[in-house]
Amino acid sequence: MNKTRLICTATAIITLAMPAKAGGLLTNTNQSINFLRNPARDATLSIDGVYSNPAGVVFLDQGFHFSVSLQNAHQTRTIHTGYPLFVNNVNNQSAVHEYEGKADAPIIPSIQAAYNRGKWSVQFNFALAGGGGKCEFANGLGSFEKVVAGIPTYANDINTLYATLGAMGLPGMSGQQMGSRYDYQSFMRGRQYYYGFTLGAAYKLSDNLSVYGGVKMLYGTSNYYGYVKNISIESISNGTSTIVPAAAYFENLGNQLNRYAGAMEQAGNHAAAQQLSAYADKAQQLSQGTQDIELNCDQTGWGVAPIIGVDYRLGKLNLAAKYEFKTRMRLKNKAANSLSAGNISMLDTFRDGQQVAEDTPSLLTVGGQYEVTSALRVMAGWHHYFDVDTKQYTKNMLSDTNEYLAGIEYDINKRIQVSAGGQRTLYGYKADGMNDISFNVNSWSVGVGVGVNVTEKVKVNAGYFHTFYGKFNKTEGEAPAVTTNEFTRSNRVFGLGVDFSL
């Protein structure tokens, strides 16, 4: 155990706050209430197409069109970590511990607007394009606790030292032992908001065909805060066990050993003095390695990328495609731990002034919508996220993400419309890309909702979107220090919005 190992583990806090996320890495597709009602929006001919099918918006009536949405999202991230040494935790003697993170985004706003005139449609969109909110792990993570749990593994060496020095008659050594139990406090929180703005125009080439070109800008702001503190271990003195601060315990031991080394040196026993000094240095290293660790890092950055799209109408069938280019994002750190990070390679991610890669992957969407009757429409879509092309991952960590979507809309009458749909998300994460700091698991999502035409030009939408996640199991290490992790999530989103035209 050393300070570097503890700090590196305790402060590896990244990409923790994306509760409103649906899609690939740092990509949020639920940018309207219509998506919550039915996620298969890739060939829609409604105002929410400013995001999902911008080329099709040109087929709306002439004039101004707006959509305003407010969503509320709640997500949990649950990890069950198994590690043999966890049984020595004074508060939980189980070998498998649960760590739950709660992520909330109370209000997720989005605005979509278009002005249609002649063959042109000028469009604007604002949303949390990369998700937004905060995630808290009240008890830290298993990767944090594993390091703390490893501290008592030095007990055998220390107890052998106690016995040897006690047999030599050195005071304060006889009857002393280091036990196997430990205690600590840990916490981590990530807060992240990725604001997305798009501006573009669609052009109607014919009554059936339109194209779109635009640009997307992302502005990201994040804060990561966490700590591991009050690390304590078991001290046994003449058979009496107590839990004591680890840093002070090892510091006192080191001071004792240095005093004995000085006495040995004065007595002319140079070999014994050097050996005791070496033991004292190790004790002081353990003292330094069990000090409180804290990180507070702010990150900001922005990126720009083009978007293109096409829409083709063939009778009752509408087909559409859109391609968003990769957004190159480099976030700049403003970190309170700059001095310590400067000397530790794994902390370079959080070094003050350092730039961190957080690219948003390019995205291809293809969809179709068919009008079965004047009141009934069915739709389907496919999303492909080119996640591997982002700088922060490699092919041995993940492959690209795919989503498959289907939905239905039905007009009960001229005023009330109901809809429902589903989405299957298949992430390409491999074992090397999964850890308790950052993970995603395959999922099924369903959305339901209603739209009410208050007037001919005003429509109120309400929707609910729920995601059912699978589980991912990962085993690493060799016996007896085998670590097991089971990852899963939960997610639900409510939303209310209004579409209107002028």
Side-chain angles (χ1 to χ4, degrees), residues 6 61 80 87 136 166 180-181 196 204 252 372 375 424 430:
L6 183 59
D61 293 337
H80 290 93
V87 297
E136 292 187 358
S180 61
R181 297 190 298 163
K204 191 187 300 183
N252 291 335
V372 180
R424 174 61 167 162
K430 302 174 183 178

Side-chain angles (χ1 to χ4, degrees), residues 279-300:
Y279 287 139
D281 289 343
K282 291 181 180 179
Q284 295 295 347
Q285 289 175 10
L286 285 170
S287 177
Q288 290 296 314
T290 52
Q291 300 282 342
D292 291 350
I293 305 300
E294 185 174 6
L295 169 76
N296 192 355
C297 179
D298 292 312
Q299 295 179 332
T300 56

Side-chain angles (χ1 to χ4, degrees), residues 178-250:
M178 176 180 168
S180 61
R181 297 190 298 163
Y182 66 89
D183 193 11
Y184 76 112
Q185 289 180 310
S186 183
F187 173 82
M188 62 182 298
R189 181 193 66 231
R191 184 181 70 248
Q192 181 184 76
Y193 292 93
Y194 272 64
Y195 301 99
F197 305 86
T198 63
L199 181 65
Y203 181 74
K204 191 187 300 183
L205 297 173
S206 70
D207 290 340
N208 299 319
L209 179 64
S210 64
V211 293
Y212 171 87
V215 64
K216 171 180 65 175
M217 189 196 75
L218 290 179
Y219 174 76
T221 175
S222 307
N223 172 264
Y224 303 115
Y225 173 74
Y227 60 75
V228 175
K229 63 182 182 181
N230 296 332
I231 300 173
S232 302
I233 58 171
E234 182 181 23
S235 173
I236 303 173
S237 179
N238 297 315
T240 301
S241 172
T242 55
I243 303 298
V244 300
Y249 177 89
F250 292 122

Side-chain angles (χ1 to χ4, degrees), residues 15-300:
T15 56
L16 290 168
M18 290 182 287
K21 184 172 178 294
L25 302 171
L26 290 180
T27 306
N28 177 30
T29 55
N30 52 307
Q31 297 191 17
S32 72
I33 307 307
N34 284 308
F35 176 93
L36 302 186
R37 292 176 47 189
N38 164 24
R41 307 299 297 172
D42 303 300
T44 182
L45 295 173
S46 301
I47 180 59
D48 65 292
V50 169
Y51 168 72
S52 55
N53 179 24
V57 176
V58 74
F59 293 113
L60 294 178
D61 293 337
Q62 299 287 293
F64 289 97
H65 303 273
F66 300 92
S67 178
V68 180
S69 300
L70 296 176
Q71 301 180 43
N72 173 277
H74 174 76
Q75 185 181 95
T76 63
R77 305 181 185 194
T78 305
I79 308 148
H80 290 93
T81 301
Y83 189 62
L85 297 179
F86 283 173
V87 297
N88 296 319
N89 187 314
V90 297
N91 299 306
N92 183 352
Q93 287 78 46
S94 172
V96 179
H97 290 178
E98 179 181 279
Y99 309 87
E100 183 178 71
K102 295 183 178 180
D104 288 291
I107 298 178
I108 308 167
S110 63
I111 300 173
Q112 301 188 58
Y115 175 63
N116 288 4
R117 183 172 181 177
K119 295 183 177 182
W120 288 93
S121 174
V122 180
Q123 303 168 27
F124 169 80
N125 175 48
F126 163 76
L128 293 179
K134 65 179 181 179
C135 181
E136 292 187 358
F137 284 83
N139 298 311
L141 290 170
S143 56
F144 295 11
E145 184 172 355
K146 277 180 60 179
V147 177
V148 178
I151 297 172
T153 59
Y154 292 93
N156 288 337
D157 292 339
I158 290 176
N159 291 337
T160 299
L161 179 63
Y162 276 137
T164 301
L165 298 181
M168 294 171 58
L170 294 178
M173 296 289 109
S174 180
Q176 301 301 310
Q177 286 185 306
M178 176 180 168
S180 61
R181 297 190 298 163
Y182 66 89
D183 193 11
Y184 76 112
Q185 289 180 310
S186 183
F187 173 82
M188 62 182 298
R189 181 193 66 231
R191 184 181 70 248
Q192 181 184 76
Y193 292 93
Y194 272 64
Y195 301 99
F197 305 86
T198 63
L199 181 65
Y203 181 74
K204 191 187 300 183
L205 297 173
S206 70
D207 290 340
N208 299 319
L209 179 64
S210 64
V211 293
Y212 171 87
V215 64
K216 171 180 65 175
M217 189 196 75
L218 290 179
Y219 174 76
T221 175
S222 307
N223 172 264
Y224 303 115
Y225 173 74
Y227 60 75
V228 175
K229 63 182 182 181
N230 296 332
I231 300 173
S232 302
I233 58 171
E234 182 181 23
S235 173
I236 303 173
S237 179
N238 297 315
T240 301
S241 172
T242 55
I243 303 298
V244 300
Y249 177 89
F250 292 122
E251 182 180 15
N252 291 335
L253 176 59
N255 290 337
Q256 282 183 296
L257 294 174
N258 276 324
R259 287 196 297 269
Y260 299 150
M264 291 292 180
E265 187 68 35
Q266 288 182 354
N269 193 340
H270 302 298
Q274 289 180 348
Q275 189 173 30
L276 287 172
S277 292
Y279 287 139
D281 289 343
K282 291 181 180 179
Q284 295 295 347
Q285 289 175 10
L286 285 170
S287 177
Q288 290 296 314
T290 52
Q291 300 282 342
D292 291 350
I293 305 300
E294 185 174 6
L295 169 76
N296 192 355
C297 179
D298 292 312
Q299 295 179 332
T300 56

Side-chain angles (χ1 to χ4, degrees), residues 172-460:
M173 296 289 109
S174 180
Q176 301 301 310
Q177 286 185 306
M178 176 180 168
S180 61
R181 297 190 298 163
Y182 66 89
D183 193 11
Y184 76 112
Q185 289 180 310
S186 183
F187 173 82
M188 62 182 298
R189 181 193 66 231
R191 184 181 70 248
Q192 181 184 76
Y193 292 93
Y194 272 64
Y195 301 99
F197 305 86
T198 63
L199 181 65
Y203 181 74
K204 191 187 300 183
L205 297 173
S206 70
D207 290 340
N208 299 319
L209 179 64
S210 64
V211 293
Y212 171 87
V215 64
K216 171 180 65 175
M217 189 196 75
L218 290 179
Y219 174 76
T221 175
S222 307
N223 172 264
Y224 303 115
Y225 173 74
Y227 60 75
V228 175
K229 63 182 182 181
N230 296 332
I231 300 173
S232 302
I233 58 171
E234 182 181 23
S235 173
I236 303 173
S237 179
N238 297 315
T240 301
S241 172
T242 55
I243 303 298
V244 300
Y249 177 89
F250 292 122
E251 182 180 15
N252 291 335
L253 176 59
N255 290 337
Q256 282 183 296
L257 294 174
N258 276 324
R259 287 196 297 269
Y260 299 150
M264 291 292 180
E265 187 68 35
Q266 288 182 354
N269 193 340
H270 302 298
Q274 289 180 348
Q275 189 173 30
L276 287 172
S277 292
Y279 287 139
D281 289 343
K282 291 181 180 179
Q284 295 295 347
Q285 289 175 10
L286 285 170
S287 177
Q288 290 296 314
T290 52
Q291 300 282 342
D292 291 350
I293 305 300
E294 185 174 6
L295 169 76
N296 192 355
C297 179
D298 292 312
Q299 295 179 332
T300 56
W302 61 280
V304 178
I307 305 172
I308 56 175
V310 61
D311 186 277
Y312 181 67
R313 302 177 71 183
L314 183 62
K316 296 181 178 181
L317 176 66
N318 191 65
L319 300 173
K322 180 186 69 168
Y323 184 77
E324 298 183 19
F325 289 78
K326 180 178 73 173
T327 308
R328 182 182 182 275
M329 293 283 289
R330 296 295 180 268
L331 304 181
K332 187 174 182 179
N333 291 344
K334 184 178 181 181
N337 68 325
S338 177
L339 294 178
S340 62
N343 298 318
I344 302 171
S345 60
M346 287 183 66
L347 276 183
D348 191 58
T349 299
F350 301 100
R351 179 166 52 86
D352 190 52
Q354 174 75 4
Q355 287 191 334
V356 181
E358 286 288 353
D359 297 341
T360 296
S362 53
L363 165 64
L364 173 65
T365 69
V366 178
Q369 176 175 288
Y370 183 74
E371 189 177 294
V372 180
T373 69
S374 60
L376 179 64
R377 293 163 296 282
V378 295
M379 54 281 296
W382 171 63
H383 300 166
H384 183 83
Y385 300 88
F386 297 85
D387 293 329
V388 175
D389 291 337
T390 59
K391 184 175 181 180
Q392 58 267 47
Y393 289 91
T394 59
K395 290 184 178 180
N396 66 309
M397 299 173 69
L398 81 167
S399 56
D400 294 340
T401 297
N402 287 283
E403 290 181 331
Y404 306 91
L405 309 96
I408 186 171
E409 290 180 349
Y410 180 67
D411 300 329
I412 296 177
N413 52 46
K414 291 183 178 180
R415 286 192 174 275
I416 301 176
Q417 178 190 83
V418 293
S419 59
Q423 172 178 292
R424 174 61 167 162
T425 301
L426 297 174
Y427 288 102
Y429 276 93
K430 302 174 183 178
D432 287 347
M434 295 284 283
N435 56 67
D436 57 3
I437 296 170
S438 178
F439 68 89
N440 267 309
V441 290
N442 297 336
S443 64
W444 291 91
S445 298
V446 294
V448 295
V450 60
V452 179
N453 294 311
V454 180
T455 70
E456 289 185 359
K457 294 191 175 184
V458 178
K459 181 180 180 181
V460 176

